[in-house]
């Protein structure tokens, strides 16, 4: 059940970390209309626009908006030509995550180590520079059209990356909602593919398995999934990987795979230190969340014991709670943020627990299935 909380060492001999990671540098989304997508994340999630790239700054084929809150950085990119590969990806997948960029000290070394172990190169190491310094980067392929870019930007002091220009500060549209960092980023892959990507993260990128759940734990009457969590960079990055398991009807993972047309990022969990305040703000700005039935809250205290937060506030806001032997955690999931039932967000506050909310899976999946049924996809 809970596996892999062991550390990456054999006896007292630490294992050489061939691919040291400093965390998630940013996540790049390919979208149909980056200008409007950026507006959504700024007004609804309170992220600040920090930099822009497009025709006005000398980039002719695409526009990109870099936005941030706390340590979270997103880049929203759209093609400016119909025959552009980005346009083709958006046509196939809808809006979604293209690149989970990882921060490293040496992008060439990271790319060398990964490709030596079997990663497929998407972009060889290159150095980009402007008046603010230089950035070294290289990319490898992941599941579907998703990639990891290794970015070394220790020698760069510009607003974001070379090619981007700073935008007026402070961002008059943005009003922060207390989001601090990315807690984890989850992939959906096809039936029978989970272990292939678990092996990839372990063998090619030097990750270790953090936790895993099987379909007996994550199932409802209708649908089920299997999931394993891979962690790297001394647990600074965590990537749960889901695959569908056999249920009576179509699982939420299959619905995703059908509408995304292949594997991809299912959700991004963003952390907060005050989930009640964050969710109150997000709700008032129109972010839509999944709701579990009221009976969930009738049974809550019996299941998780004493918690600091008033249960009636959690009930009002639809926030879920789970406890394990290390502490507890609070979490809530948005509805998909595109028209297709694909990418969504999780907001999470950890109070000691390092788990992913196993005790909430049943209530949550039933809530997801109600939404699937409304879409005619169950
Ligand atoms: Fe999650």
């Amino acid at each position: 059940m809970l596996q892999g909380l062991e550390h990456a060492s054999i006896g007292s001999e630490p294992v050489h970390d061939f691919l040291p990671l400093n965390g998630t540098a940013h996540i790049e989304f390919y979208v149909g209309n980056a200008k409007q997508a950026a507006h959504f994340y700024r007004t609804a999630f309170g992220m600040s626009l920090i930099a822009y790239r497009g025709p006005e700054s000398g980039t002719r084929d695409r526009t990109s908006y870099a936005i941030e809150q706390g340590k979270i950085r997103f880049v929203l990119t759209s093609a400016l030509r119909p025959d552009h590969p980005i346009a083709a990806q958006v046509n196939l997948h809808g809006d979604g995550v293209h690149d989970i960029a990882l921060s490293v000290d040496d992008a060439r070394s990271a790319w060398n180590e990964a490709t030596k172990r079997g990663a497929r190169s998407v972009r060889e190491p290159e150095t980009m520079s402007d008046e603010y310094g230089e950035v070294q980067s290289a990319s490898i392929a992941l599941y579907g059209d998703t990639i990891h870019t290794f970015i070394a930007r220790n020698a760069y002091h510009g607003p974001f990356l070379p090619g981007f220009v700073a935008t007026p500060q402070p961002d008059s549209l943005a009003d922060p909602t207390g989001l601090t960092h990315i807690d984890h980023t989850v992939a959906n892959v096809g039936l029978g593919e989970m272990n292939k990507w678990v092996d990839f993260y372990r063998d090619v990128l030097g990750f270790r398995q953090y936790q895993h759940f099987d379909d007996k734990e994550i199932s409802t009457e209708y649908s089920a999934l299997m999931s394993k969590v891979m962690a790297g960079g001394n647990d600074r990055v965590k990537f749960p990987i889901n695959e569908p398991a056999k249920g009576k009807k179509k699982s939420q993972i299959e619905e995703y795979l059908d509408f995304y047309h292949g594997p991809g990022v299912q959700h991004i969990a963003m952390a907060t230190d005050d989930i009640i305040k964050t969710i109150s703000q997000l709700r008032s700005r129109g972010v839509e969340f999944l709701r579990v039935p009221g009976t969930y809250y009738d049974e809550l205290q019996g299941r998780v014991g004493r918690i600091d937060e008033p249960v009636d506030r959690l009930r009002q806001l639809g926030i879920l709670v789970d406890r394990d032997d290390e502490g507890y955690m609070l979490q809530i999931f948005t509805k998909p943020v595109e028209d297709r039932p694909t990418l969504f967000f999780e907001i999470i506050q950890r109070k000691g627990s390092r788990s992913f909310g196993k005790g909430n899976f049943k209530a949550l999946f039933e809530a997801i299935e109600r939404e699937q049924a409304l879409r005619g996809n169950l």
Side-chain angles (χ1 to χ4, degrees), residues 184 186 267 269 333 346:
H184 57 276
V186 183
H267 76 265
F333 296 84
E346 173 182 354

Short mmCIF file of all heavy atoms in Angstrom, two decimals, residues 184 186 267 269 333 346, ligand 1:
data_model
loop_
_atom_site.label_atom_id
_atom_site.label_comp_id
_atom_site.label_asym_id
_atom_site.label_seq_id
_atom_site.Cartn_x
_atom_site.Cartn_y
_atom_site.Cartn_z
N HIS A 184 2.45 18.77 -6.70
CA HIS A 184 2.68 17.62 -7.58
C HIS A 184 1.96 17.85 -8.91
O HIS A 184 1.07 18.69 -9.01
CB HIS A 184 2.23 16.30 -6.94
CG HIS A 184 0.79 16.26 -6.52
ND1 HIS A 184 0.34 16.74 -5.30
CD2 HIS A 184 -0.32 15.79 -7.14
CE1 HIS A 184 -0.97 16.56 -5.21
NE2 HIS A 184 -1.40 15.98 -6.32
N VAL A 186 0.29 15.55 -12.12
CA VAL A 186 -0.17 14.17 -12.35
C VAL A 186 -0.37 13.88 -13.83
O VAL A 186 -0.95 14.69 -14.55
CB VAL A 186 -1.52 13.94 -11.61
CG1 VAL A 186 -1.98 12.50 -11.77
CG2 VAL A 186 -1.38 14.30 -10.14
N HIS A 267 -3.73 16.70 -13.79
CA HIS A 267 -3.93 17.85 -12.90
C HIS A 267 -2.63 18.33 -12.29
O HIS A 267 -1.64 17.60 -12.23
CB HIS A 267 -5.00 17.58 -11.84
CG HIS A 267 -4.62 16.70 -10.68
ND1 HIS A 267 -4.87 15.35 -10.64
CD2 HIS A 267 -4.04 16.99 -9.49
CE1 HIS A 267 -4.47 14.85 -9.49
NE2 HIS A 267 -3.95 15.82 -8.76
N ALA A 269 -1.32 20.20 -8.81
CA ALA A 269 -1.71 20.56 -7.44
C ALA A 269 -0.88 21.74 -6.99
O ALA A 269 0.35 21.71 -7.01
CB ALA A 269 -1.51 19.37 -6.51
N PHE A 333 -10.63 19.99 -5.63
CA PHE A 333 -10.33 19.87 -7.05
C PHE A 333 -11.26 20.76 -7.86
O PHE A 333 -12.46 20.79 -7.62
CB PHE A 333 -10.50 18.41 -7.51
CG PHE A 333 -9.51 17.49 -6.83
CD1 PHE A 333 -9.77 16.97 -5.57
CD2 PHE A 333 -8.31 17.18 -7.45
CE1 PHE A 333 -8.85 16.16 -4.93
CE2 PHE A 333 -7.39 16.35 -6.82
CZ PHE A 333 -7.66 15.84 -5.56
N GLU A 346 -5.77 21.08 -8.55
CA GLU A 346 -6.02 20.74 -7.15
C GLU A 346 -5.41 21.87 -6.32
O GLU A 346 -4.34 22.37 -6.68
CB GLU A 346 -5.34 19.40 -6.82
CG GLU A 346 -5.38 19.03 -5.35
CD GLU A 346 -4.66 17.70 -5.06
OE1 GLU A 346 -4.21 17.00 -6.01
OE2 GLU A 346 -4.52 17.37 -3.86
FE1 LIG B 1 -3.37 15.33 -6.72
#
